[in-house]
């Protein structure tokens, strides 16, 4: 006897990749608290916050790989995965701006792009799917690296030149964020015009 579709859908959603995604969402406020609790001082909490962010952002590739390899891709997973990424990276950018370590215009530019496209994917793009392009994937990687370096007080280990490196990486991440956003909009417009 076949299971009812609703029950089957619920059981399908209870899988390892979705659990990893939920953990990533739950780690975001913990990481932000650790970063802000002592005003971003370069002590133990700062290092721990950076480590937690790097661990959490690394799980993005892990949950996707597990889901694809074992046929565990679900609609819930497709919904939660980008939300988890936006909460984690967006929270990191906002926290860095609150601490005065990142200009607010950078944070706002990235958040406008990320939230706008996420909302479009969830609400507007119901009749056609705009697949993640290579530029979007490169943008995600650039953001993860730039934010990880910005969070970690590496200057204590390697010297002040790391600030210059982080400036270059953050600029690259912002440019890729804007470029990939424009690419997404153009691709979505083309897809909507197809019969």
């Amino acid at each position: 006897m076949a299971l009812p579709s609703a029950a089957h859908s619920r059981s399908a959603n209870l899988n390892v990749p979705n659990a990893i995604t939920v953990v990533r969402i739950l780690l975001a406020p913990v990481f932000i608290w650790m970063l802000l609790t002592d005003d971003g001082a370069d002590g133990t909490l700062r290092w721990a916050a950076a480590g937690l962010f790097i661990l959490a952002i690394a799980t993005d590739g892990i949950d996707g790989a597990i889901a694809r390899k074992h046929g565990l891709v679900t609609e819930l997973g497709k919904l939660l995965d980008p939300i988890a990424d936006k909460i984690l990276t967006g929270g990191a950018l906002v926290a860095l701006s609150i601490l005065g370590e990142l200009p607010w215009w950078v944070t706002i530019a990235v958040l406008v792009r990320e939230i706008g496209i996420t909302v479009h994917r969830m609400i507007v793009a119901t009749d056609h799917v705009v697949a993640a392009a290579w530029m979007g994937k490169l943008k995600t990687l650039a953001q993860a690296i730039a934010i990880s370096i910005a969070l970690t007080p590496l200057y204590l280990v390697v010297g002040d030149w790391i600030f210059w490196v982080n400036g270059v990486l953050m600029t690259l991440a912002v440019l890729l964020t804007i470029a990939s956003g424009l690419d997404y909009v153009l691709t979505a417009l083309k897809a909507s015009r197809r019969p």
Side-chain angles (χ1 to χ4, degrees):
M1 180 176 167
L3 289 170
S5 59
H8 176 69
S9 178
R10 279 194 299 274
S11 64
N13 286 327
L14 298 173
N15 60 43
V16 172
N18 287 351
I20 293 173
T21 302
V22 169
V23 168
R24 190 158 72 252
I25 293 172
L26 296 175
L27 286 178
V30 177
F31 142 73
I32 293 167
W33 173 82
M34 291 171 72
L35 183 62
L36 295 177
T37 195
D38 61 355
D39 295 324
D42 298 330
T44 305
L45 274 177
R46 178 70 181 239
W47 283 98
L52 190 58
F53 174 86
I54 293 167
L55 175 67
I57 204 73
T59 65
D60 181 34
I62 295 170
D63 60 7
I66 293 172
R68 287 187 295 274
K69 182 176 180 181
H70 298 285
L72 297 173
V73 177
T74 64
E75 291 302 315
L76 179 64
K78 287 191 259 186
L79 173 69
L80 290 181
D81 190 65
I83 291 173
D85 296 341
K86 290 356 169 215
I87 290 172
L88 194 60
T89 58
L93 293 171
V94 169
L96 286 168
S97 291
I98 289 171
L99 294 172
E101 298 178 19
L102 185 69
W104 274 105
W105 71 264
V106 171
T107 297
I108 291 167
V110 172
L111 289 180
V112 166
R113 184 269 188 210
E114 299 293 4
I115 293 170
I117 288 178
T118 300
V119 169
H120 181 268
R121 278 190 173 134
M122 291 191 306
I123 297 174
V124 180
T126 54
D127 56 342
H128 60 277
V129 176
V130 180
W134 66 269
M135 195 184 300
K137 293 175 182 177
L138 188 60
K139 174 270 303 180
T140 301
L141 179 62
Q143 284 182 358
I145 293 171
I147 293 171
S148 296
I149 292 176
L151 290 170
T152 311
L154 290 173
Y155 76 94
L156 296 172
V157 180
V158 299
D160 289 348
W161 63 268
I162 197 68
F163 292 120
W164 182 85
V165 171
N166 186 236
V168 171
L169 290 172
M170 194 63 77
T171 300
L172 179 62
V174 171
L175 291 175
L176 282 170
T177 298
I178 294 169
S180 64
L182 293 173
D183 181 61
Y184 177 90
V185 170
L186 292 173
T187 304
L189 286 173
K190 288 177 187 173
S192 66
R193 288 173 184 161
R194 290 187 197 127

